[in-house]
Amino acid sequence: GIGFYPLRGNHEASATAATEMRSLFPQNMGEGTHALPGVMNITSPAGLDLKGLSYSFDYKNVRCVLIDQFTRPDGTGSNNSNNLLDQIDWVETALTSKSSDQHAFVLAHKNLIGQNHKDVISGSSLAANADARDRFIRIMDTNGVGYYLGGHDHMHHRSIVTSATTNEYGDKYNVDQIICSSNSYKFYIPQKDSKTGLAIDDGREIPVCQELFTIGFYIVTVDGPRVTVDFYSASHGQ
């Protein structure tokens, strides 16, 4: 009976799973008996079969934007690598329409820059749909998104991801990315370049911290204008 607000991952990528999401979690649409008291303004992209799959909501002075990038109930969006592209306008509207004193968090299963997996939210590789990724980062930066949170890689990894484009001051747009720690038996390690031994990226990431092979969870505390994120982890005994 405890309300929570889920988001699909790549193991629930089918049209059947999309339909089941609506049946099992009607709170994503503001319906049913498990809605969390105080959650308001639930919206989904218009004109796309994504109601209850991609959605945003407000809770007190926080706006959360959750992005589904998998096959939709009507079978569209079957290319799981570029399903962000027709949702960027909605993401921009969801973020620009928030009040000036609201915090904002954007969540999706795939990452801006992955460590083990190189299929990311904007496409099947780091370089895919580069213009769309740049626009996505710019929208988050200019609207004060505190963190972009993802999963997919089963490790704790925090970094700053930058765009290729710059603002009027010559600074690149950027957003803090947190790849969330594993909650299962799967633990991945970053891919490395066989020649340099360095992590594989496209020069657009500044790593901040990383922890491998632990089970973890996060508590986000919002105290008026201040946000703190506490990360807790435990060894899995190996």
Side-chain angles (χ1 to χ4, degrees):
I2 298 173
F4 67 99
Y5 291 86
L7 185 65
R8 279 197 299 170
N10 58 291
H11 290 272
E12 305 86 41
S14 68
T16 300
T19 300
E20 285 295 296
M21 277 285 288
R22 290 176 177 167
S23 174
L24 294 170
F25 305 108
Q27 62 265 34
N28 297 2
M29 301 176 286
E31 302 170 2
T33 59
H34 295 324
L36 189 68
V39 168
M40 302 173 62
N41 301 325
I42 296 178
T43 65
S44 289
L48 303 173
D49 195 15
L50 282 166
K51 185 177 181 181
L53 300 171
S54 286
Y55 58 103
S56 69
F57 65 83
D58 294 339
Y59 182 74
K60 297 185 178 180
N61 66 331
V62 173
R63 175 159 295 179
C64 292
V65 180
L66 295 87
I67 303 170
D68 185 293
Q69 63 180 122
F70 301 103
T71 305
R72 300 159 192 178
D74 62 5
T76 60
S78 58
N79 183 342
N80 291 341
S81 290
N82 61 17
N83 280 351
L84 168 71
L85 304 186
D86 61 358
Q87 300 184 63
I88 293 181
D89 287 346
W90 168 73
V91 173
E92 184 168 28
T93 298
L95 292 174
T96 57
S97 63
K98 71 178 181 65
S99 63
S100 60
D101 63 347
Q102 279 186 296
H103 300 284
F105 301 94
V106 176
L107 304 92
H109 181 70
K110 294 186 180 181
N111 306 298
L112 287 168
I113 291 184
Q115 294 299 296
N116 178 273
H117 295 86
K118 298 306 174 182
D119 55 317
V120 291
I121 187 162
S122 55
S124 57
S125 67
L126 295 181
N129 302 306
D131 290 344
R133 182 174 72 163
D134 266 6
R135 182 187 173 202
F136 185 51
I137 293 172
R138 174 179 57 79
I139 289 169
M140 290 190 285
D141 186 337
T142 56
N143 287 285
V145 171
Y147 293 100
Y148 173 88
L149 297 110
H152 204 41
D153 267 346
H154 296 259
M155 67 178 71
H156 171 69
H157 179 83
R158 181 184 172 193
S159 63
I160 300 169
V161 179
T162 62
S163 68
T165 53
T166 58
N167 61 24
E168 64 268 31
Y169 305 107
D171 299 320
K172 292 182 177 180
Y173 298 102
N174 68 86
V175 66
D176 272 44
Q177 166 183 256
I178 296 178
I179 299 175
C180 293
S181 186
S182 182
N183 273 158
S184 77
Y185 64 91
K186 284 185 179 179
F187 301 96
Y188 293 128
I189 60 174
Q191 291 190 43
K192 293 185 178 181
D193 186 285
S194 59
K195 294 181 180 179
T196 66
L198 301 174
I200 298 173
D201 64 37
D202 60 355
R204 306 267 290 280
E205 181 180 44
I206 303 169
V208 176
C209 58
Q210 183 182 89
E211 184 172 279
L212 307 180
F213 310 120
T214 58
I215 296 170
F217 67 94
Y218 303 78
I219 295 178
V220 179
T221 302
V222 179
D223 181 10
R226 183 174 65 179
V227 172
T228 56
V229 181
D230 293 297
F231 167 58
Y232 296 86
S233 66
S235 167
H236 66 293
Q238 300 294 323

